[in-house]
Amino acid sequence: MNVPSSVATLIIGIAITLISLWVGQNNGLLPTAASVEAAQIDNLFNAMMAIATGLFLLVQGALLYSLFAFRKKKDDDTDAAPVHGNVPLEIVWTAIPSAIVLWLAIYSFDVYQSVNSGGFMGSDHMAHAQSKIVNVSNQTQMADMGSGMSNPIDNSLVINVKGLQYAWLFYYDGTDIVSGDLHVPSGRPVELNINAQDVIHAFWVPEFRLKQDAVPGVETHLAFTPNKPGNYPIICAELCGAYHGAMKTRVIVDTPEDYETWYSSRVVATTDSSSEVAATSNADHQMASLTPEPDALTDLQAENPSVDSQQIQALLSSAEPLTAPNL
């Protein structure tokens, strides 16, 4: 049965389209999505994957078809008939890729603007900047835990990040908490102010689908909302030295209750540590003030030349021993 070429082309086109869409939605190439922003970036990636699959099948299918349909026939030593000047064909293979590239550019820009992870674009830019001065003191933060997400910008958790060879340090804004792991609560917007101490690093969490450079002398920013509790790797994505591969830590996405527990424990630990340092410093100061001068006998003799030196020595020997105060 001879199938009209137009019908065969239509069937092949539908088959390639269906296969491409299936591969785009079921490629399984991305890790777990653990942030709100990841869904939009996954959709963009899946769309590009579907387009790439369709182009691959179309090009490879045309090559395989040509191998059999236009193979050299027996005893045929002539050259193939030259084909050129097909204006409709040239328009089609120019217009279709151009339309795809233009659509991808617009779609990518829309995703980038809506995610706004760097805080540099879109109408949220100023809001992100203002949120850096949000008071995240202990009381405010505890109150925000149960207040819902009605205003995600005002409720954002601000953390300062420093990259250095070969570690990441996280400073919780408005507190004395410093951690080698990044703890964040699920469902709450997080803003990172990132800088580097020595060379260029790159802060990358694959599960968040976000990456930002850490540049010495320049503060960069990253904003996201984690939405799936778990432990995820933080990787330096910039070759930063001989031990670049070892520059790894983790981001721990806690439930709001677990984050509150961790935060309270760190506040208590920080307060106890500060109190201990202050008490030790105060005790050293008081002990120093109670210690007699080594030349006390000489000074007393100089100030009281009329008093016999044996009397002064006896007076010092009979004095009560000095004791440290009860700290």
Side-chain angles (χ1 to χ4, degrees):
M1 181 179 66
N2 293 327
V3 179
S5 59
S6 58
V7 175
T9 303
L10 178 62
I11 294 174
I12 293 173
I14 293 174
I16 291 177
T17 301
L18 293 177
I19 294 174
S20 302
L21 292 175
W22 186 86
V23 173
Q25 297 298 319
N26 300 277
N27 55 78
L29 297 176
L30 296 174
T32 301
S35 71
V36 173
E37 292 76 13
Q40 300 180 65
I41 297 174
D42 285 0
N43 290 335
L44 174 61
F45 177 84
N46 292 337
M48 291 191 291
M49 194 67 192
I51 293 172
T53 302
L55 290 175
F56 176 81
L57 294 176
L58 184 63
V59 172
Q60 298 302 318
L63 287 174
L64 291 175
Y65 174 79
S66 300
L67 285 175
F68 292 97
F70 305 111
R71 68 183 183 277
K72 178 183 177 182
K73 294 181 174 59
K74 187 177 180 181
D75 299 330
D76 183 6
D77 296 328
T78 62
D79 294 334
V83 177
H84 58 84
N86 192 328
V87 176
L89 181 59
E90 292 181 358
I91 291 176
V92 169
W93 73 31
T94 302
I96 291 178
S98 299
I100 292 174
V101 171
L102 180 61
W103 178 78
L104 280 178
I106 296 174
Y107 185 20
S108 302
F109 183 79
D110 182 64
V111 171
Y112 180 70
Q113 194 172 28
S114 61
V115 170
N116 195 23
S117 61
F120 295 108
M121 299 181 61
S123 57
D124 290 340
H125 173 54
M126 292 307 297
H128 275 270
Q130 293 172 0
S131 66
K132 295 172 187 173
I133 60 174
V134 169
N135 181 10
V136 289
S137 62
N138 187 21
Q139 294 78 6
T140 302
Q141 193 167 29
M142 295 307 171
D144 288 341
M145 287 296 179
S147 62
M149 300 295 131
S150 58
N151 191 342
I153 299 301
D154 291 340
N155 194 40
S156 62
L157 174 64
V158 181
I159 302 172
N160 300 314
V161 182
K162 177 181 289 185
L164 65 160
Q165 292 176 316
Y166 299 93
W168 294 102
L169 294 177
F170 304 97
Y171 302 84
Y172 286 72
D173 196 41
T175 73
D176 293 328
I177 296 176
V178 181
S179 176
D181 297 326
L182 176 60
H183 278 261
V184 293
S186 176
R188 182 176 181 182
V190 178
E191 291 193 12
L192 303 182
N193 302 321
I194 304 173
N195 59 68
Q197 177 175 291
D198 33 44
V199 300
I200 297 176
H201 304 277
F203 182 93
W204 178 37
V205 181
E207 283 74 10
F208 292 169
R209 310 289 191 269
L210 298 173
K211 183 174 74 69
Q212 182 60 280
D213 287 342
V215 184
V218 178
E219 185 176 85
T220 57
H221 308 278
L222 194 63
F224 56 90
T225 303
N227 62 358
K228 181 173 288 188
N231 295 354
Y232 308 108
I234 298 175
I235 302 170
C236 178
E238 199 79 39
L239 182 60
C240 59
Y243 298 98
H244 156 73
M247 189 172 173
K248 296 178 180 178
T249 184
R250 59 180 180 169
V251 52
I252 302 172
V253 180
D254 296 318
T255 63
E257 294 77 15
D258 289 342
Y259 178 77
E260 182 178 353
T261 302
W262 174 84
Y263 183 85
S264 300
S265 66
R266 294 306 301 265
V267 169
V268 171
T270 303
T271 303
D272 289 346
S273 177
S274 300
S275 300
E276 183 176 353
V277 171
T280 302
S281 177
N282 187 40
D284 292 342
H285 176 73
Q286 294 188 41
M287 288 297 295
S289 65
L290 293 172
T291 302
E293 294 294 334
D295 298 330
L297 179 60
T298 304
D299 293 342
L300 288 173
Q301 288 179 329
E303 295 173 357
N304 304 277
S306 60
V307 180
D308 184 78
S309 60
Q310 293 182 352
Q311 294 178 347
I312 294 176
Q313 182 66 48
L315 180 62
L316 290 175
S317 302
S318 63
E320 294 292 333
L322 298 177
T323 57
N326 186 12
L327 300 177

